[in-house]
Amino acid sequence: MPGHFHEYAVDKQPHRVTWSVDGRTYFTLTPSKLPRPQDWVFEQDLRLLLNVAVGGDWPGPPDGSTPSPATMTVDYVRLYGEGRA
């Protein structure tokens, strides 16, 4: 829908990362959900990447309804936390 923005969020807490869209949680990851909990890599500096990648587990593989070429309009990006300048 042109002109309609969605709010994507990632809430990173110690030993938990939660992803949501428009205020609705769709996935939470903790070390215990990994095949090898010692592979937990989220307790280090992270980077933010915005792209128009297509496919994967969410929202699923591309099909006839997938726009191509794709565009992404970003209204704003807001980061909270104890990050470093």
Side-chain angles (χ1 to χ4, degrees):
M1 170 180 344
H4 178 75
F5 287 94
H6 292 283
E7 181 179 293
Y8 296 87
V10 179
D11 181 20
K12 189 212 161 291
Q13 300 292 325
H15 307 292
R16 185 182 79 227
V17 182
T18 302
W19 289 262
S20 63
V21 178
D22 296 332
R24 298 182 68 183
T25 296
Y26 73 86
F27 187 69
T28 298
L29 184 64
T30 62
S32 65
K33 291 184 178 180
L34 296 175
R36 297 177 46 199
Q38 66 270 26
D39 288 342
W40 185 255
V41 297
F42 296 104
E43 303 307 320
Q44 58 187 323
D45 290 343
L46 301 173
R47 305 289 187 267
L48 178 66
L49 171 68
L50 304 175
N51 67 27
V52 289
V54 177
D57 292 336
W58 182 86
D63 61 19
S65 68
T66 304
S68 181
T71 61
M72 175 174 49
T73 302
V74 177
D75 186 38
Y76 65 91
V77 173
R78 183 177 297 156
L79 301 173
Y80 297 95
E82 301 174 20
R84 295 178 224 164

